[in-house]
Amino acid sequence: MQLRTFLTTAVAAAATLAFALPSAMAETKYKSEYRMSLVLGTAFPWGKGGEIWADKVRERTQGRINIKLYPGTSLVQGDQTREFSAIRQGVIDMAVGSTINWSPQVKALNLFSLPFLFPDYAAVDAVVQGDTGKEIFKTIDKAGVLPLAWGENGYREISNSKKAITKPEDLKGLKIRVVGSPLFLDTFTALGANPTQMSWADAQPAMASSAVDGQENPIAVYMAAKLQSVGQKHMTLWGYMNDPLVFVVNKDVWASWTPADQAIVKQAALDAAKEQIAIARKGLVEPGKPLVKDLEGLGVTVVDLNAAQRKVFADATKSVYTKWKPQIGTNLVDMAEKAIAGSRK
C-alpha cells in the first residue's frame, strides 16, 4: 500500500513538473541577442554610453544577456522620432535615447528643450536627479517604455559657415538644421532663423554642400563629426538647452528576465550613465574649458556668451517658453524651475 501511494505521488509530482517546466522556461527564455538603438556611434559620448552599458551587462550576466548596438537609428531607417514607438512595440529591445527625439510621443520631455531654462550643469543635475526626473520617468513608464537611468548628450551650441553669432539678429535668415521637434522650429523661428528639419545622417552632406548654413549640437558631437571640415567655422556657446539621454528597455523584454538579471541590467545602466555623463562633459567643466581651446586650434572662431548676452537670446524666445509651458505641464515646469532656483543658492 505504501509503495502504491509513493508511486502515485511520484507520478503526480512528475506530471506537475512536466507542466511547470515549459511555463518556467518560457518566462525566462532569453534571446541570443538584444538590439540596442542609438543615434550616434561609439566615437561619440552618446554611443560610448551604450557600449559601456552593453559591456557591463554582458560581463555581469556571464553572457546571458548579449547586446548588439545599432547606431544611426538604423532599426527605424534613421528616423529618430520613430525610435520611441519602435521600442514600445518591440522592434527595438533597448536604447539610449534623446529627450528631444522622444518628445513627440512624451510631451513632458519637451521640458529640456525649453529655451534657456538650464543655466549650468548644476541646474541640469538638480532636475534630472531630483523629483522632476522621477516624475518624468513615471511619465515615460506610463507611455509604455521602462526608463532606468539618465545620461547626457550635452548643451547644444550653435555653429554656422557664415559669421559669428553674438546676438539674435545674427541668426536672421540663416538656414539651421534642427531635429524633428515643433519646439525647436518655434525657437529658431522666433530668433529669425530658417529652421530646417532633417536627420543627422542627412545633416552633414547638407552642410558640406551648403544646403544648410548651420546646426546646433554639443561640442563633443561637433568634434567627433569633424564639422569644421564641412564649413562650420563659427561656433557660439550659448547653452540654450541641454539634451539629457535616457537608458531604457522594452517592457516585454524586461519581464522576460529573472529579477536578478533585471537588477543587474538596471545597476549597469546607472553605472554606465554616470560614466557617460563624465565623458560628455569632459573638457567643458575643467578650468579654461580645454575643449574650447581644441576647437580654436582647428581654426574655429568661438564666441562664449556672457550672462548678459545670453539673457538677450532668452528674452527673444520668451514667447516660445510661455507658449510651451502649459503644453509640457505647468506643474512639471514649475517643479523644474524650483529645483533650478535651489541649485543656485
Side-chain angles (χ1 to χ4, degrees):
M1 189 69 180
Q2 287 180 335
L3 180 59
R4 184 182 297 173
T5 302
F6 171 77
L7 289 172
T8 302
T9 304
V11 169
T16 302
L17 185 62
F19 282 109
L21 274 175
S23 175
M25 289 172 68
E27 289 175 5
T28 57
K29 186 174 174 61
Y30 285 30
K31 297 182 182 182
S32 59
E33 180 180 280
Y34 293 88
R35 296 163 297 184
M36 180 188 294
S37 180
L38 301 159
V39 170
L40 298 175
T42 55
F44 301 82
W46 186 337
K48 196 67 182 172
E51 182 181 58
I52 293 169
W53 187 20
D55 287 347
K56 288 183 185 298
V57 169
R58 183 169 51 253
E59 179 185 330
R60 295 177 187 181
T61 62
Q62 288 81 51
R64 286 190 302 280
I65 299 176
N66 291 293
I67 300 164
K68 183 176 179 181
L69 309 185
Y70 287 84
T73 41
S74 57
L75 294 170
V76 284
Q77 292 73 54
D79 188 344
Q80 296 163 219
T81 58
R82 283 178 51 214
E83 188 179 48
F84 187 86
S85 297
I87 301 163
R88 185 171 51 207
Q89 293 161 2
V91 175
I92 294 169
D93 300 315
M94 308 167 75
V96 179
S98 164
T99 56
I100 300 167
N101 293 337
W102 297 352
S103 62
Q105 288 82 30
V106 185
K107 281 283 188 184
L109 293 179
N110 282 291
L111 171 75
F112 300 103
S113 299
L114 280 174
F116 303 97
L117 172 61
F118 296 95
D120 50 35
Y121 287 115
V124 177
D125 292 340
V127 170
V128 298
Q129 304 301 338
D131 291 339
T132 313
K134 290 174 185 172
E135 281 301 309
I136 293 171
F137 268 21
K138 288 179 187 175
T139 305
I140 294 172
D141 195 332
K142 285 178 185 172
V145 173
L146 184 67
L148 300 179
W150 287 104
E152 183 173 283
N153 192 25
Y155 273 100
R156 297 179 77 93
E157 315 295 8
I158 189 164
S159 72
N160 79 99
S161 59
K162 302 290 187 184
K163 57 186 173 180
I165 296 172
T166 61
K167 55 189 183 300
E169 291 77 15
D170 294 330
L171 274 161
K172 188 171 182 180
L174 285 184
K175 200 168 186 179
I176 306 294
R177 176 267 172 180
V178 297
V179 296
S181 162
L183 178 42
F184 273 58
L185 297 174
D186 284 353
T187 296
F188 281 88
T189 299
L191 291 169
N194 177 11
T196 304
Q197 177 186 328
M198 63 177 64
S199 72
W200 181 243
D202 293 333
Q204 288 164 278
M207 284 180 265
S209 67
S210 299
V212 296
D213 301 312
Q215 61 86 48
E216 45 74 56
N217 255 306
I219 295 178
V221 172
Y222 179 104
M223 297 283 281
K226 298 180 172 60
L227 294 187
Q228 76 279 358
S229 67
V230 289
Q232 298 296 294
K233 297 291 188 181
H234 301 280
M235 168 79 75
T236 295
L237 310 185
W238 62 341
Y240 88 111
M241 68 152 293
N242 188 286
D243 178 20
L245 303 175
V246 191
F247 289 59
V248 303
V249 178
N250 167 272
K251 286 193 171 186
D252 289 336
V253 168
W254 180 260
S256 74
W257 293 332
T258 64
D261 280 343
Q262 289 174 352
I264 288 171
V265 172
K266 181 171 184 178
Q267 189 58 52
L270 291 167
D271 294 343
K274 188 175 180 180
E275 290 183 36
Q276 190 274 326
I277 290 171
I279 295 169
R281 295 181 183 182
K282 184 175 172 56
L284 294 169
V285 291
E286 299 85 352
K289 296 181 180 176
L291 202 55
V292 174
K293 288 184 170 54
D294 291 344
L295 264 180
E296 291 172 336
L298 295 170
V300 180
T301 301
V302 181
V303 175
D304 195 350
L305 299 185
N306 60 37
Q309 290 173 309
R310 196 170 178 271
K311 186 178 184 303
V312 176
F313 281 91
D315 290 343
T317 54
K318 196 67 184 174
S319 62
V320 178
Y321 192 107
T322 303
K323 170 188 172 181
W324 277 86
K325 183 172 179 176
Q327 294 186 48
I328 294 165
T330 300
N331 290 342
L332 185 68
V333 178
D334 286 344
M335 187 185 296
E337 290 171 345
K338 184 177 178 181
I340 291 166
S343 74
R344 301 184 69 73
K345 290 177 182 175

